[in-house]
Amino acid sequence: MSALPDTLAIVVVRDGALPAGADETVAEAGGAVLLTGTGTARAAKELTAARSTWTVDTAVVAPGSLAATLAPLLDQVRVVLLPGSPDGRDLAPRLAFDTGRALHAGAVRCGPDTADLSRVDDQVEVRVRFIGPVVVTLTPGVRGVGTPLPPPEPVPLDAAPGTARDAELVEVRPPEPETVELTEARRILGGGAGLVRPGEDGTAVMRTLTEVAAWLGASAGATRVVTDAGWAGHDRQIGTTGVVVDPDLYVAFGISGATQHTGGLGRPEHVVSINTDPHCPMTAMADLGIIADAPAVLAELDRRRRDD
């Protein structure tokens, strides 16, 4: 077995599907990744940032058992980096406990000796310096990947299956669009300051946007102006000081397109802008620009939702 590097990304795979933030985490780890879970060989072909890939296939995805399986392999690895996906966040504390390491969650950057952690609803960054081996989770959507690399041939590792007390899996349900993390949402309706008329209850407007989005199988996001006003939670903020998203479809309601917001849009496949200003940056970058009053469009969609 080839020796594992000093910094290693560990990515949990379910049925060959990579989680949100997988390639970003691999890139942050310098291209070295260990894939574990079910269907790892298939997932290895989908990576675009890997330079060296190892795999440990397991019969099921259970964080306690995965930690017990992987812990003996990591003696020479100083920095273990996982994506802050649901499975990554489940595995990280168990892996830290089993290997006697410090855990640093919610990093936006991670180097060989330090990590920058996001705190207070992404308003504060705290730098921590490593004094020994660590486990770190990287927030998806903040780093980017860069130029795609051809996937290397994965090297299977011989790991004895570990056993641990795990919760019994009853059913895996798809995420509800209303509550799914924006980094994992495939469709997003975004609300900006132009969606709330003067004197209106902005919280109620954003609640309507959320309900319409769920009706359309989408999630609701917001600009910084909206979250700063308290009309939506900071976990719904899209932008350079919020989350970075990469949906298939982004519909912007009353969003002018300031760089702070568009810097968090990633590379959506399709963008629709609903705005009265045909020359605003958001309409200029959209595949489809609807020159209309955003509150009126939302009200009509809400009417149709209620009649459905």
Side-chain angles (χ1 to χ4, degrees):
M1 181 184 80
S2 57
L4 295 175
D6 191 59
T7 299
L8 178 70
I10 294 181
V11 176
V12 180
V13 176
R14 286 184 182 268
D15 299 326
L18 294 168
D23 270 309
E24 293 174 284
T25 305
V26 176
E28 192 75 350
V33 57
L34 190 160
L35 298 175
T36 187
T38 55
T40 58
R42 188 160 75 253
K45 298 177 182 178
E46 302 299 321
L47 287 170
T48 64
R51 300 179 185 276
S52 302
T53 303
W54 295 267
T55 60
V56 174
D57 253 344
T58 60
V60 296
V61 177
S65 299
L66 281 179
T69 300
L70 298 177
L73 305 176
L74 303 176
D75 288 345
Q76 304 306 312
V77 179
R78 186 166 181 268
V79 179
V80 174
L81 191 60
L82 297 94
S85 60
D87 281 324
R89 296 197 303 269
D90 274 348
L91 177 58
R94 292 167 171 84
L95 201 55
F97 179 81
D98 283 3
T99 57
R101 299 165 179 253
L103 170 64
H104 299 297
V108 293
R109 281 174 295 276
C110 181
D113 300 303
T114 63
D116 295 331
L117 311 180
S118 177
R119 296 291 183 265
V120 195
D121 286 331
D122 299 323
Q123 297 182 61
V124 175
E125 283 188 13
V126 178
R127 173 160 291 186
V128 295
R129 187 167 298 277
F130 307 149
I131 58 174
V134 294
V135 173
V136 180
T137 61
L138 186 72
T139 301
V142 298
R143 184 195 189 279
V145 177
T147 304
L149 301 173
E153 189 65 28
V155 177
L157 296 182
D158 186 17
T163 57
R165 303 190 74 167
D166 275 299
E168 180 184 352
L169 178 63
V170 176
E171 181 183 2
V172 177
R173 296 182 177 181
E176 294 289 338
E178 186 173 342
T179 57
V180 67
E181 294 183 9
L182 287 176
T183 55
E184 299 182 13
R186 304 321 309 155
R187 299 176 182 176
I188 299 175
L189 305 190
L195 187 57
V196 182
R197 293 190 175 104
E200 278 191 323
D201 182 350
T203 301
V205 172
M206 288 305 298
R207 189 182 307 118
T208 299
L209 181 69
T210 300
E211 292 169 350
V212 169
W215 175 58
L216 297 174
S219 301
T223 64
R224 181 172 179 173
V225 171
V226 170
T227 59
D228 282 352
W231 299 334
H234 283 280
D235 62 324
R236 298 285 108 184
Q237 181 181 321
I238 298 169
T240 54
T241 57
V243 298
V244 178
V245 298
D246 197 19
D248 297 330
L249 173 65
Y250 184 66
V251 183
F253 284 80
I255 297 175
S256 63
T259 55
Q260 194 281 335
H261 181 73
T262 57
L265 285 184
R267 297 181 300 276
E269 290 188 20
H270 304 288
V271 175
V272 177
S273 173
I274 304 170
N275 204 296
T276 54
D277 182 1
H279 306 295
C280 71
M282 182 60 72
T283 300
M285 70 176 288
D287 301 292
L288 173 63
I290 300 175
I291 310 307
D293 182 53
V297 173
L298 178 62
E300 176 61 20
L301 288 172
D302 188 44
R303 184 190 67 79
R304 298 190 180 203
R305 176 187 71 86
R306 293 174 184 276
D307 291 344
D308 189 3

